[in-house]
Amino acid sequence: MNTAHDLTDSRVHYNIKRIALPAAIGFFGHTLYNMTDTFYAGYINTAAQSALTFSFPLYFLLLSCCVGLGQALTARIANAIGKKRYARAAYFLAQGIILSSIICLLIWLFLLPATSSIVTALGGSGDAAAWATEYSRIIYLGSPLFLYAFMFNSALQATGNATAFKNSVIASVLLNIILDPILMFGWLGLPAMGVAGVALATLLSQFVGGVYLFTVLNKTIVMHRWRWLFLRPRVEILLKLIKQATAPTGRMIGIGLFFFLVTAFLGRLDNDAVAAYGIAIRIEQLFLLPTIGLEVALLSYAGQNLAAGKPQQTRTAYLLCLRYGIICMIIGAIFLVGVGKYFIQFFNDEEAVVEYGYNYLLVAACVGNLYLFINLGGAVLMGALKTFDIFITSLLRLLILPIIFFWILAIQLELGVIGIWIGILLANIPAALWMHYRCIAVLAK
């Protein structure tokens, strides 16, 4: 049996690096996971790639539930581990599994029958709409595989283990690369399933990753204290998890709505800008991977240390993560400014697309540091079980402020696409300042 990693000792640098690095690698693999499906779908035809685009909002909604509940569970289990209450940690895991099952049931009852209508409302038609509906229904039928895998990974991250996530993602990506063409084109005597094969390959890969995560989790002290009676629903615990999950889930949904908002404004200005934005944000995601790894590490660290009554040590970890993050962002900014244009040309070499995309990457080089303060501040607040500021900040920076800035800069002042890019920067400045202030204030108490 492996006990939970004690993140409350004085080895701040070691503990942060040990979690952050594999977490960042794991999320990099997750990015490749989605790119693989899009790549293989292109061998069918353009409509197949469009189908994946139309299905993305439905997939993103499921992902939002996974991430939100996962972060809530990490915070609660890390708090219990910090207090050496391992049975309570197991209890939260059991209740998280129950809540995941309830979410799956709601998806099957409400979203599964409505997939076709939602795809049509998003503008899908013809083969693209039919394939998007088929893909989304298969993914929704397999929603337990996603949610349970996230629950197992959240419990492992709370114990200070991010290596298992990295290993599971790498294995899933490799398996997905192998299964996609086999199921799509009907190799090895199997029937050709097209886009449905892409969805089925995703579920099979997710299943293998989830089994691996459970195998690792089963060796920890959390599962050693597991009792089957913990699966009896406790309304009090479920409500705590729902309350804790509301802010990160809302933030994820807000990110999805923000993408639609930016696309809607850009669509009024220039379709080349829409294409440029779609390319540039994928490059930006790679640029932001270090911040995601640091956020995962800080959430686990803050959860254990704040529960153990060590706010000063948590403050040291927060400032250390900021230092690491700023160094990574500076290196990334130099990279974006220096070679970002060539990466855009790799996807699309039209002059207008390259210019729009490169201008966005110049803004992204500045916004990256703001995201750093927002995400790390949010990790500390999640670890402190304080989520209200995260919810309000997400609402402001992802919806309210962008609408105001886009309308003023792009439409009223007629700055066009440049006004959209500047608006993104301005919307995140007050959010970064506020999250940093709230983080320091919480740690000072």
Side-chain angles (χ1 to χ4, degrees), residues 274-324:
V274 176
Y277 179 65
I279 295 170
I281 59 175
R282 285 166 173 77
I283 299 172
E284 183 189 29
Q285 286 176 350
L286 298 177
F287 164 63
L288 295 175
L289 282 173
T291 70
I292 298 175
L294 290 170
E295 180 185 5
V296 170
L298 189 59
L299 173 58
S300 302
Y301 192 91
Q304 287 197 26
N305 279 271
L306 291 176
K310 297 183 177 181
Q312 184 58 39
Q313 196 157 286
T314 306
R315 185 177 186 274
T316 301
Y318 170 66
L319 296 177
L320 177 67
C321 288
L322 281 179
R323 190 187 316 154
Y324 285 153

Side-chain angles (χ1 to χ4, degrees), residues 287-288 290-291 294 321-339 361-362 364-370 372-373:
F287 164 63
L288 295 175
T291 70
L294 290 170
C321 288
L322 281 179
R323 190 187 316 154
Y324 285 153
I326 290 173
I327 292 172
C328 291
M329 291 299 99
I330 291 174
I331 296 173
I334 295 173
F335 174 81
L336 290 181
V337 173
V339 300
L361 291 181
L362 295 180
C366 301
V367 178
N369 282 299
L370 301 178
L372 182 67
F373 281 89

